[in-house]
Amino acid sequence: MPINPYLVFNGNTREAITFYAHVFGQELPDIMEFGPGPGPDGQPYPEEMQSLVLHAELIVHGTRLMFSDAMPHDPVTIGQNVTLALHLSDVDLLQKTFDQLAKDGNVIMPIQKTFWSEAYGIVEDSFGVQWQLNHEVSEVPIT
């Protein structure tokens, strides 16, 4: 599976997606909002987050660009708002990779079950690079 750039914005992801879709001649993609899903604690997201973008993606020249809004209490610094998303079908390898990246780094979200994945977590490695590791059942080639 490829590693995908994940672009994170401070509440204007919908605007960014619309811009990039236009620039690269793409249809506006499906947008998953925070609203329908439970938060990390299993409770609904606060009202002010319901319509923020949880996830969307565009395929640009064969590369999957992924998009999300940051949590309002943890805004990103523009210019440092790119993370790398690694999709693995092997949960054991995902956990091992996560643990190795976390050594001398910072676990932002431990590996856990989410409503879209059996195993998902976020870690910042010792070099300040943020990684999102996601269990993805099938390794379908990106077209």
Side-chain angles (χ1 to χ4, degrees):
M1 282 299 239
I3 295 173
N4 305 112
Y6 212 118
L7 307 175
V8 182
F9 299 89
N10 291 318
N12 61 339
T13 298
R14 213 175 288 274
E15 181 182 341
I17 293 167
T18 301
F19 172 77
Y20 291 121
H22 173 75
V23 166
F24 295 110
Q26 304 290 318
E27 294 292 321
L28 199 59
D30 290 335
I31 294 175
M32 182 187 306
E33 296 179 341
F34 279 92
D41 60 359
Q43 299 301 309
Y45 285 102
E47 185 64 33
E48 66 272 11
M49 290 185 62
Q50 297 287 313
S51 64
L52 292 178
V53 175
L54 175 65
H55 179 77
E57 55 188 60
L58 289 172
I59 306 299
V60 177
H61 301 291
T63 296
R64 178 167 49 168
L65 290 180
M66 302 186 329
F67 300 83
S68 181
D69 278 313
M71 300 294 252
H73 63 274
D74 192 19
V76 295
T77 301
I78 300 305
Q80 298 175 336
N81 57 326
V82 177
T83 65
L84 299 176
L86 179 59
H87 306 278
L88 297 170
S89 61
D90 181 329
V91 175
D92 292 333
L93 178 59
L94 185 143
Q95 185 67 59
K96 179 181 176 184
T97 303
F98 185 92
D99 292 344
Q100 289 174 332
L101 288 168
K103 185 174 178 353
D104 298 324
N106 179 35
V107 173
I108 296 167
M109 179 179 173
I111 298 290
Q112 60 191 266
K113 183 176 182 173
T114 65
F115 69 93
W116 70 85
S117 175
E118 288 298 312
Y120 174 81
I122 305 171
V123 62
E124 183 177 273
D125 68 24
S126 61
F127 296 99
V129 176
Q130 199 173 105
W131 295 83
Q132 297 183 51
L133 283 82
N134 185 57
H135 176 251
E136 196 166 274
V137 176
S138 63
E139 295 186 1
V140 178
I142 305 299
T143 58

